[in-house]
Amino acid sequence: MKQLVKFILCLSLSFVFWPLTIWIIVLKHIYKFVWKMFIILKTLPRDIRYMYIMTNFTSKMFYCQQQECSVVSLFRDLLKKYPTKPCCYFENQVYTYHDIEDYSNKVANVFQSQNYKKGDVISLVMENCTEYVCIWLGLAKIGVTTALINTNLRGKSLIHCINSPKSKAIIYSEELTTAIENIKGDINLTLDRYQFGGKTPSNSEVYSLNDLLTKAPTLNPTFECPKFNDSLLYIYTSGTTGFPKPVIINHSRFIFFTYYAQELLSLQTGDIIYTPIPLYHTAGGVLGLGAALILGVPIAIRKKFSASAYFSDCAKFKCTVGQYIGEIGRYIISTPKKPEDKFHNVKKMIGVGMRSPVWKVLKTRFGVKDIVEMYGATESNIVFGNLSGKLGSFGYIPRCVPQSMSPFSVIKINVETGEPIRGKDGFCIRCDVGESGMLIGKIISGDPVLDFTGYLDEKATKSKILHNVFLKDDKAFMSGL
């Protein structure tokens, strides 16, 4: 009898609580849906701007791909429009587009006469100057790839960076003579050496590039114009986990960074960019120079960064955009305050690695209206920029677009191994809002925006590719932890 009563009681309670349980589940899903809709509506203006920018950017990239554009061809288009317009400012020098064309033609003619051709690699180790730009642009005209080497490297790291791309020659400035002399026994014995600046001994095996350039004609060399996917530069990783690795920068990749920066900053031909960043770095050598060589936005170059001279240089050259990386901002705000701190035309700064407290001071003390913090590695097909002006942000993934349609995702990973966590179906799991994980970028071979060219080292390239991500046989670039 007791068991029957207990059974009836349990049955009665189940009828009471079962609907309650269902309601809790239903309310939970309703809350989740409403919260997602709230986020979508709140971020909609920001996301619409992002979609507009990406549409413009993508259409430009597809057009360049169809037209087989290159840095050389786009520069030539600018030359026709603005032959006498300043292209590069350096110290007290002003190089117009016509000056850059003539000097780079001299470089092309010198090395063509020395039998360098498409597919060859020449290493360039020089400090910032206008001639640096002209040298690699001239080499690009005859199809030679230039390896841009960090001027601070010495010994084994320098040897590795010269040897790894199988350089056939090296061009270096007078200041780097000792560094090159110290390793000449460890680099390719057939490597031709060209010194820029200073005097070379008459019995030396080193060519004086200045002497060769003096005798060279400014006429256009005879060459087949490079194409969209042809190799242009090698830019090296920082080498924090071993020797620096050469990253392949095709003409397409150079154009990619340039047009993205144009959209982020709304660059106009009346702007002038200031860069104290080394030109062997992607930020200065691609983002900065790309604006000058492709967009018609002049650039002011400084040989070496100076915190105290940053904004006075900007005032001198009437710059409207300033570049930074890492701790540059912190060094600038550490300088003594001056009445002239706001006597400049800089309205925007763009770069990577600026901390929030530094960000605030730059805006208030120096009157910089917008800080455009970016995210993106030299080799990555992922690039973000702070479009919302939110303090400390470097970008976002739009919420108004279904995650399955976005080329970028944040996936769950094992923080100890760095390996992706996969679901029962064997595919990766996307993180929800507020969860941390690894950022990945969808790879589509041949796509001018989503392709991944990677490193010169094929093994290193493969190590950055994740397979079977959300679908069978799809691929994505892994940004790492």
Side-chain angles (χ1 to χ4, degrees):
M1 186 66 180
K2 288 183 179 179
Q3 290 180 343
L4 179 60
V5 171
K6 188 183 288 187
F7 172 75
I8 293 172
L9 183 62
C10 289
L11 189 63
S12 302
L13 289 172
S14 67
F15 279 109
V16 172
F17 289 107
W18 179 248
L20 182 61
T21 305
I22 292 175
W23 272 110
I24 290 172
I25 294 171
V26 170
L27 287 172
K28 185 179 178 181
H29 281 285
I30 290 174
Y31 172 79
K32 195 173 182 180
F33 173 77
V34 171
W35 177 246
K36 282 188 175 181
M37 289 305 297
F38 171 75
I39 293 174
I40 288 172
L41 291 172
K42 184 180 178 181
T43 59
L44 191 58
R46 177 200 74 177
D47 292 352
I48 289 174
R49 186 184 174 202
Y50 172 86
M51 298 301 292
Y52 174 77
I53 283 175
M54 288 305 295
T55 300
N56 282 347
F57 166 62
T58 304
S59 63
K60 288 176 182 177
M61 289 301 297
F62 272 98
Y63 174 81
C64 286
Q65 184 184 50
Q66 292 167 1
Q67 298 298 315
E68 287 289 359
C69 295
S70 67
V71 175
V72 174
S73 66
L74 292 173
F75 175 78
R76 287 271 170 83
D77 290 342
L78 278 182
L79 177 66
K80 294 174 185 175
K81 291 182 182 178
Y82 313 114
T84 59
K85 180 180 178 178
C87 177
C88 290
Y89 297 95
F90 177 70
E91 296 177 346
N92 295 318
Q93 302 174 345
V94 181
Y95 275 63
T96 65
Y97 281 90
H98 189 271
D99 294 332
I100 298 289
E101 169 73 356
D102 282 353
Y103 201 111
S104 59
N105 280 346
K106 280 174 168 281
V107 172
N109 285 315
V110 164
F111 285 91
Q112 193 172 58
S113 68
Q114 303 268 335
N115 297 319
Y116 290 93
K117 59 188 183 301
K118 184 175 182 177
D120 289 341
V121 178
I122 293 179
S123 290
L124 179 61
V125 197
M126 283 176 59
E127 294 181 332
N128 284 10
C129 60
T130 309
E131 291 84 357
Y132 187 101
V133 185
C134 299
I135 287 171
W136 73 246
L137 180 61
L139 294 174
K141 288 180 177 181
I142 59 172
V144 172
T145 301
T146 308
L148 308 182
I149 296 179
N150 188 329
T151 55
N152 296 306
L153 296 180
R154 297 292 184 272
K156 291 182 179 180
S157 293
L158 182 55
I159 294 166
H160 169 81
C161 288
I162 295 170
N163 287 342
S164 59
K166 298 180 180 177
S167 301
K168 291 195 171 182
I170 180 170
I171 301 169
Y172 57 92
S173 54
E174 179 188 8
E175 300 91 338
L176 279 301
T177 301
T178 302
I180 301 301
E181 285 295 318
N182 288 341
I183 63 166
K184 66 180 182 181
D186 296 298
I187 54 180
N188 188 343
L189 294 176
T190 61
L191 194 77
D192 290 329
R193 286 178 286 154
Y194 296 84
Q195 181 178 311
F196 180 81
K199 292 183 178 181
T200 55
S202 57
N203 60 346
S204 171
E205 297 177 348
V206 179
Y207 294 100
S208 168
L209 184 55
N210 300 74
D211 290 347
L212 294 172
L213 290 171
T214 301
K215 302 170 187 176
T218 59
L219 297 173
N220 289 330
T222 304
F223 66 93
E224 179 186 351
C225 190
K227 295 183 179 179
F228 188 68
N229 287 317
D230 284 350
S231 177
L232 173 65
L233 304 169
Y234 292 139
I235 295 181
Y236 292 78
T237 60
S238 59
T240 51
T241 56
F243 285 128
K245 296 187 289 289
V247 176
I248 301 169
I249 304 293
N250 292 339
H251 287 263
S252 60
R253 189 72 177 156
F254 193 99
I255 296 168
F256 170 96
F257 279 117
T258 301
Y259 281 146
Y260 193 76
Q262 180 187 29
E263 295 299 329
L264 279 183
L265 296 167
S266 301
L267 288 174
Q268 305 296 324
T269 53
D271 285 312
I272 299 175
I273 294 178
Y274 176 69
T275 186
I277 300 171
L279 296 180
Y280 56 74
H281 194 284
T282 308
V286 180
L287 275 176
L289 283 180
L293 299 178
I294 293 176
L295 305 178
V297 177
I299 186 170
I301 301 167
R302 185 176 177 87
K303 189 171 186 178
K304 288 186 177 180
F305 167 70
S306 166
S308 60
Y310 190 97
F311 281 104
S312 57
D313 273 356
C314 289
K316 174 184 175 181
F317 297 114
K318 299 180 181 178
C319 298
T320 56
V321 178
Q323 285 194 279
Y324 67 87
I325 52 171
E327 298 292 340
I328 279 180
R330 183 170 66 84
Y331 297 142
I332 293 172
I333 67 171
S334 298
T335 59
K337 290 184 178 181
K338 298 181 292 185
E340 304 84 32
D341 281 346
K342 292 184 179 180
F343 292 180
H344 57 80
N345 297 320
V346 176
K347 301 302 179 187
K348 297 178 182 180
M349 292 183 70
I350 185 170
V352 294
M354 185 181 291
R355 301 179 189 182
S356 297
V358 176
W359 188 319
K360 289 181 180 179
V361 177
L362 274 171
K363 295 191 77 169
T364 54
R365 176 180 162 186
F366 293 96
V368 178
K369 184 180 177 183
D370 295 316
I371 305 291
V372 183
E373 177 77 8
M374 289 188 65
Y375 172 86
T378 302
E379 68 274 26
S380 169
N381 69 346
I382 305 169
V383 62
F384 284 110
N386 178 18
L387 299 173
S388 62
K390 184 177 179 180
L391 182 68
S393 169
F394 61 73
Y396 49 83
I397 297 174
R399 306 304 302 171
C400 64
V401 178
Q403 288 194 41
S404 59
M405 293 177 63
S406 174
F408 310 123
S409 301
V410 180
I411 60 171
K412 295 183 178 182
I413 58 166
N414 183 319
V415 292
E416 293 182 358
T417 64
E419 291 297 315
I421 296 173
R422 295 181 179 267
K424 292 180 181 180
D425 57 4
F427 297 121
C428 298
I429 304 170
R430 289 184 174 90
C431 291
D432 207 344
V433 175
E435 293 182 331
S436 59
M438 179 169 64
L439 182 63
I440 60 172
K442 184 176 183 179
I443 296 173
I444 301 179
S445 298
D447 187 285
V449 175
L450 299 177
D451 203 354
F452 171 57
T453 50
Y455 309 97
L456 192 58
D457 181 349
E458 190 175 340
K459 185 178 178 182
T461 300
K462 288 180 179 179
S463 70
K464 299 294 287 186
I465 299 176
L466 181 63
H467 295 270
N468 299 316
V469 188
F470 301 120
L471 297 169
K472 190 176 184 301
D473 296 329
D474 68 348
K475 298 182 293 183
F477 169 83
M478 296 187 291
S479 63
L481 293 173

